[in-house]
Amino acid sequence: MTDRPTGSEFGDGEPVVRDKRRIDPETGALREPAEQSAAPAAGAPAGQPPRDPSDLIGPSAQEALLTEALAERTADLQRLQAEYVNYKRRVDREREASRELVIGSVLAELLGILDDVGRAREAGELDGAFKAVAESLERVTEKLGLVRFGEKGDTFDPRIHEALLHNYSDEVDGPTATMIMQPGYRHGERILRAARVAVSEPTEQLPGEAAKADAPVESTDDDKAADESAE
């Protein structure tokens, strides 16, 4: 007698009989296979994996989703580009402002030397090597944007002029710089030093008391009598 194997491989110790005959011995009919493969998913061809959920929607819906996603990405890109352009402009403005500030500070330190050059020129002492150096300095400062202003006869402007002397004259129609004591300088829109001037105003603008003081005094009869008795 042959021992039958027992254990979990054949169940709980009992023999497992599998009838694999294709023809039923009782009815004589052809049998269907006992084990069949799992039915494919509904709508999916046999032997192919299930489709992606996005494949279940129509072409119009897919196109709408793609269009919306493209619009969002385009808007993000445009926003980033605008932020970068604004940032670059701001950095360029700040860099240029810093550069102008540094140049203006250096030029302000040279104004005293330029005053000495101007006084030497007026005194006729600007000659030889000193003249060449002075002219070279003036060319460099002019190239850096230094502008000199303040001429005799300019209309007085308190924004660019500093009045050191004041008087009245019949030769002017309004407040006028009649003498330039020290020229002014500017760099771009920045005034490095106001022009120091003497200002004259028209005589008719004299205060009332001063006008009376300057007017001739007429002698009265009593004054004449007093003068005659004194004699």
Side-chain angles (χ1 to χ4, degrees):
M1 177 182 238
T2 303
D3 294 334
R4 295 180 179 177
T6 61
S8 59
E9 182 179 358
F10 295 95
D12 297 331
E14 297 294 329
V16 178
V17 178
R18 293 184 177 89
D19 188 359
K20 297 183 179 181
R21 291 176 292 183
R22 298 291 304 277
I23 298 176
D24 192 335
E26 296 179 1
T27 62
L30 182 64
R31 293 177 174 177
E32 293 293 333
E35 297 179 357
Q36 296 182 352
S37 59
Q48 293 187 4
R51 294 184 297 177
D52 188 87
S54 61
D55 294 338
L56 302 178
I57 62 178
S60 299
Q62 292 185 23
E63 183 177 356
L65 290 175
L66 291 175
T67 302
E68 183 179 357
L70 177 61
E72 292 178 356
R73 300 300 180 270
T74 302
D76 292 341
L77 180 60
Q78 291 175 344
R79 183 172 60 256
L80 290 175
Q81 185 177 8
E83 291 177 356
Y84 172 75
V85 171
N86 292 334
Y87 168 78
K88 188 175 184 300
R89 289 176 179 174
R90 184 171 64 255
V91 170
D92 291 341
R93 286 196 302 267
E94 292 176 355
R95 184 184 296 113
E96 183 64 21
S98 299
R99 176 179 177 275
E100 294 295 322
L101 183 62
V102 171
I103 294 177
S105 299
V106 174
L107 292 175
E109 297 296 327
L110 297 176
L111 298 185
I113 300 176
L114 295 176
D115 290 338
D116 294 338
V117 171
R119 285 190 288 268
R121 182 178 285 112
E122 292 175 356
E125 299 177 356
L126 192 63
D127 54 9
F130 180 46
K131 179 179 180 181
V133 173
E135 291 178 349
S136 177
L137 175 63
E138 290 174 338
R139 284 194 300 270
V140 171
T141 55
E142 183 178 355
K143 183 178 180 180
L144 291 175
L146 184 66
V147 178
R148 173 175 172 169
F149 64 89
E151 298 292 339
K152 182 178 179 180
D154 289 347
T155 300
F156 177 75
D157 185 347
R159 296 172 298 178
I160 61 175
H161 295 136
E162 180 182 353
L164 299 183
L165 295 176
H166 179 267
N167 55 29
Y168 294 90
S169 174
D170 294 331
E171 300 178 357
V172 297
D173 298 329
T176 305
T178 53
M179 181 185 300
I180 306 299
M181 299 179 177
Q182 201 172 39
Y185 290 95
R186 68 170 177 265
H187 177 250
E189 300 297 328
R190 180 186 175 190
I191 301 297
L192 299 181
R193 188 180 72 189
R196 296 169 179 173
V197 300
V199 181
S200 296
E201 291 189 80
T203 305
E204 59 265 19
Q205 295 185 7
L206 275 169
E209 295 298 330
K212 292 179 180 178
D214 293 343
V217 179
E218 296 182 358
S219 300
T220 62
D221 293 339
D222 293 338
D223 293 336
K224 292 180 179 179
D227 293 340
E228 289 176 356
S229 63
E231 293 177 355

